[in-house]
Amino acid sequence: MSASNPETPVKADDHGTNRWYLSTAPVLRALVHLCVPMAAAMIVGALYNVINSGVIGALHDTTLLAAVTFGSPLLALVMAVGGMFGTGGGALVSRLLGASENEPAKAGEIKHVTSFAVWGSVIVGAVLGGTGLLLLDPLVSLLGADAATASATRSFVAVLLAFVPVLAAAFCLEQLVRAEGATRQVMTGLIASTVANLGFDVLFILVLHWGVAGAALATGLANLVVVAYFVTWLARHSEHMSLAPRWFTLSPTVLKPVLGIGVGELLQAGFLIVTSLVLNNLAAGYGDGPLAAMGVVVRIAQVPEFLVMGVTLGVLPLFAYAYGKRDHGRLTAALRASAITVGAITMVSAAVLIVFREQVLSVFSDDRSVLAIGGTILAAQLVAMIANGFAGLLTSLFQATGRAVAATVMSVTHGVLFLPAVFLGNLWFGLTGIIWALTVTEGTVFLVGGVLWLASRRAIAQGLQGDPESAGEPLETAAL
C-alpha cells in the first residue's frame, strides 16, 4: 500500500471503478453498487447463523447451544470495538477522498487515518481480550451462565477472547474497504469468511469433537481469513490507504473525527445488548408463547431489515465523498434517492407481511399460542422497522458529514429511551406494553433524528461551502 503523491492528479472519472461510483456515477447506479452487496452479505451472514446453530445442535447438547448464546453479547461488543474505529475511520477516509478532488494533498492524510484505525482496533482489542482472560470466571458469571453451562461457556469465551484483536481488526477493515466504494470486495470477503467459518465448524465440531471451543476457534480463524483478504486487497488495489505502523498517529486531526463518530457505535452496541437482555427477560415472564413468537417475528423481519441496512450502511461512503468534495447536488440527490429506497422497501414489506401474516407465521410455527400473539408482535415490529430505517439513514448522514454529537445522540437515544419505555409499558399495559415499547422507541428516535437534521442543516451547508466553522447563510438545503 503506497502513499499517494500529493501532486498526483486524482483519478475519479474512470468509468466503472469504485472511485467513479462515489464521484460521478448516476446516483441510482451508485446506490445499487454500494448497497446491494452489503445487503447480500448480511443475508448470507444471517443464513450462516442458522446453519451454525444446526451444526452445534447436531451434538444434541443444550448446554453447548446455551454457551454460544451466553457468549453472543461478548462477540457483539468486540465487533463494536472494530466498528468504533472502522465507522469513524471509514467516514473520514471517504470525506478525504472527496476533498482530494479539489485539494489533492488531502489524499496524503488517508494513510494516517487507516493506520490509526486498524492498529487502534488491534491494540484496544488486545487490551480487552487480555483483561477478559484475566477475569474469565467473573465474566462468565456476568454473561449469565449457571452451574450447568459455566464450563462450556468458559471454553467458548476463552477461545473467543484470544481472537479479540483479530475480530476487531476484521470489522474495522471491512469499513475501510467500503470507504473506497469497494462493496463488492467487502461482500466477497464476508462470504468467504462465512464459508470458511462453516468449514471450520464441521471440522472442529463434528469431526474433531471440540465442542463450543471448536465453534469459537472456527469464528476466530474465519475472521483471520477475512483480515488476510482485506489486507491483501488494500495492498494491491488501494492507491491511498496504508496499514504500516509508521503512519500511526494520535494527531487530533485524526483522533477527534474518528473517535467522535466511532464512540457512538460502541455505545449503541452496548445499549443493544442490554435492551435485548431486558426484553427477553420481561417477555419470558408471560410464558414461552410470547418469547417464541418474538423469535419467529425476528426471523420473518430479518430480510427486509437487512435490505434496509444495506441501503443505510452502503450509502454512507457516498454521502461522505460528496460532502468532502463539496458537491451539494450529489449529496442532496443521494439522500433523496436513498430515502425513497428505504421508504419503498419498508412500506411494501410491511404491507405484504401484514396482509399475509397468518400464512407467513404458520411457516415457522403451528403453535396456536405463538400464532395468536405473533400477528400483533409482527405489526409492532414492522412499524418499528419503518421508523428505524429512516433513523438509520439520518445517522449515516450525520456520520458521513462529521456531525459527531448528532451521530452519538442518534446512537444512544434508542437505549436511553427503550429501557423506561419497556419497563413502564410492562407496568401499565402488561405484555401489550412490552410488545409496543420498541415501536414507540423507534418512532421517538426517528423524531429526534428529524429535529437533529433540521438543527444540522446549516452546519452541513457551511461544510459544503468549505468552511464548517464559519457563520453564514446555508445553501439550498430543502432536501438536506
Side-chain angles (χ1 to χ4, degrees):
M1 283 159 288
S2 59
S4 64
N5 185 332
E7 303 303 322
T8 302
V10 177
K11 299 177 181 178
D13 56 355
D14 292 341
H15 189 279
T17 63
N18 292 321
R19 187 73 174 268
W20 176 76
Y21 281 107
L22 291 177
S23 178
T24 56
V27 169
L28 289 180
R29 288 192 63 181
L31 282 178
V32 171
H33 173 81
L34 293 168
C35 302
V36 171
M38 287 301 302
M42 284 185 283
I43 290 172
V44 170
L47 180 62
Y48 163 75
N49 289 333
V50 175
I51 296 174
N52 182 51
S53 297
V55 172
I56 297 174
L59 300 177
H60 304 293
D61 187 342
T62 56
T63 60
L64 301 184
L65 285 172
V68 174
T69 301
F70 288 133
S72 296
L74 177 64
L75 185 60
L77 185 61
V78 171
M79 293 300 187
V81 171
M84 177 175 68
F85 289 94
T87 302
L92 182 55
V93 165
S94 295
R95 287 201 300 275
L96 289 171
L97 282 172
S100 68
E101 289 202 33
N102 300 317
E103 303 173 63
K106 290 288 186 181
E109 301 174 21
I110 293 174
K111 59 184 180 292
H112 296 293
V113 178
T114 52
S115 182
F116 167 74
V118 171
W119 290 107
S121 67
V122 170
I123 292 168
V124 173
V127 171
L128 289 177
T131 303
L133 287 171
L134 291 174
L135 303 173
L136 185 58
D137 287 336
L139 178 60
V140 168
S141 298
L142 182 64
L143 290 171
D146 55 19
T149 58
S151 178
T153 304
R154 187 180 299 108
S155 298
F156 181 77
V157 169
V159 176
L160 208 59
L161 287 169
F163 279 96
V164 167
V166 174
L167 297 170
F171 199 73
C172 176
L173 283 164
E174 175 195 331
Q175 316 304 311
L176 294 179
V177 172
R178 189 157 55 87
E180 288 203 333
T183 49
R184 291 177 184 171
Q185 287 72 27
V186 170
M187 179 182 69
T188 300
L190 294 180
I191 292 177
S193 174
T194 300
V195 172
N197 207 332
L198 182 58
F200 287 135
D201 274 341
V202 172
L203 174 63
F204 297 147
I205 298 173
L206 299 183
V207 177
L208 298 178
H209 304 291
W210 289 354
V212 289
L217 181 60
T219 298
L221 292 178
N223 276 273
L224 192 59
V225 169
V226 82
V227 166
Y229 172 79
F230 286 147
V231 168
T232 301
W233 187 86
L234 287 172
R236 293 178 178 175
H237 301 285
S238 179
E239 182 182 356
H240 304 296
M241 292 191 187
S242 175
L243 307 184
R246 71 177 182 275
W247 299 117
F248 183 88
T249 179
L250 294 176
S251 168
T253 58
V254 172
L255 198 68
K256 184 177 178 180
V258 172
L259 295 186
I261 295 298
V263 166
E265 288 290 298
L266 184 63
L267 293 174
Q268 182 182 41
F271 276 121
L272 286 176
I273 292 169
V274 173
T275 56
S276 177
L277 292 173
V278 169
L279 180 62
N280 288 342
N281 277 281
L282 288 176
Y286 292 89
D288 293 337
L291 196 59
M294 286 183 180
V296 168
V297 168
V298 166
R299 288 195 291 273
I300 292 172
Q302 269 186 343
V303 172
E305 286 178 347
F306 284 151
L307 292 176
V308 171
M309 289 175 65
V311 176
T312 59
L313 296 178
V315 79
L316 194 155
L318 183 60
F319 287 163
Y321 193 100
Y323 183 74
K325 186 183 175 181
R326 303 174 195 168
D327 190 339
H328 176 267
R330 189 166 180 79
L331 179 58
T332 300
L335 180 60
R336 182 186 297 114
S338 54
I340 292 172
T341 303
V342 167
I345 293 171
T346 55
M347 299 295 184
V348 172
S349 299
V352 171
L353 289 173
I354 288 296
V355 171
F356 297 102
R357 59 186 179 277
E358 292 184 6
Q359 294 88 334
V360 173
L361 287 166
S362 63
V363 172
F364 292 86
S365 176
D366 57 3
D367 187 321
R368 300 308 305 174
S369 64
V370 172
L371 296 177
I373 194 67
T376 301
I377 297 175
L378 181 61
Q381 180 76 21
L382 292 173
V383 175
M385 176 188 69
I386 296 171
N388 180 258
F390 288 106
L393 193 60
L394 289 172
T395 301
S396 288
L397 176 65
F398 297 144
Q399 291 173 337
T401 56
R403 310 267 76 81
V405 173
T408 301
V409 170
M410 290 294 290
S411 297
V412 303
T413 298
H414 180 280
V416 171
L417 293 179
F418 179 75
L419 291 179
V422 74
F423 280 120
L424 292 175
N426 181 48
L427 180 64
W428 293 340
F429 305 107
L431 180 59
T432 301
I434 294 175
I435 291 171
W436 288 96
L438 179 63
T439 310
V440 171
T441 302
E442 295 290 7
T444 305
V445 171
F446 173 55
L447 292 177
V448 170
V451 172
L452 291 172
W453 170 51
L454 293 173
S456 300
R457 289 196 303 171
R458 183 186 183 91
I460 292 173
Q462 289 171 349
L464 286 165
Q465 294 179 38
D467 188 8
E469 301 298 330
S470 68
E473 292 302 317
L475 298 175
E476 294 179 279
T477 53
L480 289 176

